Amino acid sequence: MKRIILVVLACALTLPASLRAQSSLDAAAATMGTASLRSLQFTATGQSFVLGQPPTASEPWPVRPVKSYQVNLDYGSNAMRVEQVLTMPVPQPRGGGAPFAGEQRQVQFVRGAFAWNETPPAAGSQTPGIQPQPAAATERLLWMWAASPQGPIKAAASNARVRSVANGSEVTFTVGGRYPVVAFINKMNQVERVTASLPNDVLGDMPVVTTYSGYRNFGGIQFPSRIVQTQGGYPTLDLTVSAVQPNVFLDITVPDQVRNAPSPAPPAATSQKVADGLFWIAGGSHHSLAADMGDHIVVIEGPQNEARSEVVITEVKKVIPNKPIRFVVNTHLHFDHSGGLRAFVDEGATVVTQQGNVAYYEKAWAAPRNLIGDRLSKSGKKAAFQPVADRGELKGSNSRVVELHLLKGNPHNEQILVAWLPAEKVLFQSDMMNPPAPNAQVPPPTPTITNFAENLRRLKIDPDQIVGGHGNRIATRADLNAVAGRAGTN
Ligand SMILES: [Zn+2]
């Protein structure tokens, strides 16, 4: 009898809770006006930030002011168009990111599994170009459902679990059949926050959190006046909304050249001999340097991702056979230069990096990796680090010396190392300079190049060959003098 009473009591407590949760979703739908909403356009200004390109391991992502931002969402077809104009402050903020001067207009699309960009018309043409962006589809689709607080309510209507939580309710649904999204609805029946994860080569299952605040009536629809998104713990987008128009229809059709685009070519590695037992491993957008140290190998730079590292490791073992890769040198934290490090750790290599980065990697690499399972998460090996302050040195059994030097005060990244092989007069650097094309008009030096040249002068490094983490050939001292202007001359 006692047990029956308990069971009845338990039902009495749980049933109203789930009903309450469901009714809060209905109330939110009524408040947010989603029933008659098929599409939505909003405009904003604000700030955009470059994920994974901070000036130091403890600072936020660098900012690009957003002069204008317009989103068109079509809920029924899973489609979105974003047009934004970014501006570059002068001087450029510390940190990395693709350089541009003045303004940059971007037009981005997603529809289901397809993503593409519109590019300016070629000379003599009126028609804009189309550029497939398959790697961007997941993030854009997630933004399609999170950019407006009406999105999660619309998505929840077809596939969702709803439950009561403190101060509101939580709606869980899936985007792209794979990525779980949780929306928090507050007591005022407003969507206050949307939480999701994206796969990231450095951060694993990277948290993506969108918050909505300052709700008000925009032309008959409740909409937040501020939308902030963080990725990996720092803001990536901060929008102040100026106008919202419900049911503005925009036909977003997947162009044939996007639908029929060949899948991207798999990564490939090439090698070029720099000196005896020293090879530039290139073949993609990001390059490495492999040094035969007698009884082992040092690889400088593990960029991009595991797929890149796999082909680099294979090529390194081909040109320097039967030796283990015992060290991988990381020039700096920027994600495009550190995303492949974990594969080298799994290979048995110790990570040599500036001391300011060690705690960052230890924390980042401890995060869950359900969306991006890699070799290291499967093997469970523990990463070993060899931190470098201002100067470090790796010595081979063949007495080859690889010196590592901090580029002090570098605006691109203040914890960036270069590798210097004094006997061979070979320097490896990333993101400091690329050799200019023959007969190219060389622009005036950036603060980054000037700082690079000043550090080399301070360190009395006078290279014959400058091997790059980017660029399509090995640079010379003359190239450095050309790109660094007066700052480059000794
Ligand atoms: Zn960088």
Side-chain angles (χ1 to χ4, degrees):
M1 186 64 187
K2 207 173 182 181
R3 191 171 294 161
I4 291 169
I5 291 171
L6 277 179
V7 170
V8 170
L9 202 63
C11 289
L13 285 172
T14 52
L15 273 180
S18 64
L19 279 178
R20 217 168 44 236
Q22 183 57 45
S23 72
S24 79
L25 182 57
D26 297 340
T31 303
M32 317 286 297
T34 56
S36 58
L37 192 67
R38 293 176 307 282
S39 57
L40 184 139
Q41 171 183 300
F42 75 84
T43 50
T45 55
Q47 295 180 306
S48 175
F49 304 80
V50 195
L51 174 73
Q53 299 285 329
T56 63
S58 52
E59 288 179 80
W61 317 133
V63 69
R64 304 285 180 264
V66 180
K67 188 177 163 188
S68 68
Y69 193 95
Q70 180 176 306
V71 182
N72 285 83
L73 303 164
D74 185 14
Y75 302 107
S77 65
N78 250 332
M80 173 180 76
R81 176 186 187 272
V82 174
E83 177 175 348
Q84 60 178 340
V85 177
L86 305 179
T87 59
M88 182 64 84
V90 178
Q92 180 179 329
R94 292 159 60 248
F100 65 92
E103 295 185 352
Q104 187 182 62
R105 178 175 172 269
Q106 300 177 349
V107 185
Q108 305 170 337
F109 296 84
V110 68
R111 179 167 176 154
F114 296 100
W116 67 100
N117 288 354
E118 191 182 286
T119 56
S125 163
Q126 299 287 310
T127 325
I130 301 286
Q131 205 175 59
Q133 297 283 323
T138 301
E139 182 181 0
R140 289 186 191 174
L141 198 57
L142 212 56
W143 182 231
M144 191 263 135
W145 288 107
S148 72
Q150 281 78 12
I153 305 295
K154 299 286 282 183
S158 57
N159 81 81
R161 279 184 296 119
V162 191
R163 68 184 188 112
S164 287
V165 293
N167 300 317
S169 52
E170 248 179 32
V171 180
T172 306
F173 60 97
T174 307
V175 165
R178 176 159 184 223
Y179 298 92
V181 178
V182 180
F184 170 70
I185 301 170
N186 65 22
K187 289 272 196 250
M188 276 111 68
N189 304 315
Q190 298 161 336
V191 178
E192 193 172 297
R193 184 175 61 250
V194 170
T195 308
S197 298
L198 279 173
N200 182 278
D201 294 295
V202 175
L203 299 173
D205 299 347
M206 176 182 71
V208 180
V209 182
T210 310
T211 52
Y212 314 91
S213 59
Y215 270 93
R216 62 186 181 87
N217 190 319
F218 281 92
I221 190 161
Q222 281 295 311
F223 206 80
S225 47
R226 187 149 181 243
I227 303 174
V228 178
Q229 184 169 77
T230 66
Q231 295 189 13
Y234 293 113
T236 43
L237 196 59
D238 186 338
L239 296 175
T240 299
V241 176
S242 51
V244 183
Q245 280 182 277
N247 294 323
V248 173
F249 179 70
L250 185 75
D251 187 11
I252 301 172
T253 307
V254 182
D256 284 344
Q257 63 263 57
V258 173
R259 193 176 291 281
N260 304 323
S263 28
T270 61
S271 48
Q272 181 182 334
K273 186 174 166 184
V274 181
D276 280 344
L278 193 63
F279 300 90
W280 190 34
I281 312 293
S285 60
H286 290 64
H287 318 317
S288 305
L289 181 68
D292 185 341
M293 306 297 279
D295 60 358
H296 68 276
I297 302 168
V298 168
V299 174
I300 298 152
E301 210 73 315
Q304 295 188 294
N305 49 43
E306 180 169 282
R308 177 74 206 159
S309 292
E310 295 286 7
V311 297
V312 170
I313 289 168
T314 303
E315 186 67 18
V316 167
K317 287 181 173 173
K318 198 174 93 192
V319 292
I320 311 174
N322 304 318
K323 295 179 187 184
I325 300 171
R326 214 164 274 162
F327 296 95
V328 61
V329 175
N330 165 233
T331 59
H332 64 307
L333 172 75
H334 291 173
F335 288 6
D336 60 321
H337 291 270
S338 58
L341 290 174
R342 286 171 53 90
F344 285 91
V345 172
D346 192 58
E347 193 69 21
T350 293
V351 179
V352 184
T353 188
Q354 212 281 332
Q355 61 186 12
N357 302 323
V358 175
Y360 191 92
Y361 290 130
E362 284 179 334
K363 186 173 174 216
W365 293 356
R369 281 181 183 254
N370 299 315
L371 299 172
I372 190 166
D374 60 10
R375 284 173 58 167
L376 193 59
S377 57
K378 285 175 195 112
S379 74
K381 283 186 196 165
K382 198 172 156 27
F385 292 91
Q386 183 166 313
V388 174
D390 290 1
R391 186 186 192 283
E393 194 174 287
L394 298 168
K395 216 168 188 166
S397 64
N398 57 1
S399 70
R400 166 164 276 157
V401 171
V402 178
E403 292 179 12
L404 303 166
H405 295 280
L406 173 69
L407 298 179
K408 287 187 180 169
N410 191 269
H412 183 80
N413 185 276
E414 286 181 21
Q415 293 155 333
I416 191 165
L417 301 176
V418 291
W420 169 234
L421 288 85
E424 297 84 351
K425 289 177 99 54
V426 170
L427 179 73
F428 183 92
Q429 56 78 31
S430 280
D431 291 356
M432 295 296 105
M433 66 167 284
N434 286 331
N439 308 319
Q441 180 82 30
V442 179
T446 62
T448 291
I449 292 175
T450 300
N451 172 278
F452 172 59
E454 285 169 358
N455 269 289
L456 296 189
R457 202 162 43 226
R458 170 180 67 81
L459 296 162
K460 301 193 167 45
I461 292 175
D462 189 11
D464 287 343
Q465 299 183 79
I466 303 170
V467 183
H470 298 287
N472 54 14
R473 65 177 169 89
I474 293 174
T476 61
R477 179 77 214 187
D479 291 322
L480 171 62
N481 289 341
V483 297
R486 231 162 57 92
T489 54
N490 259 339

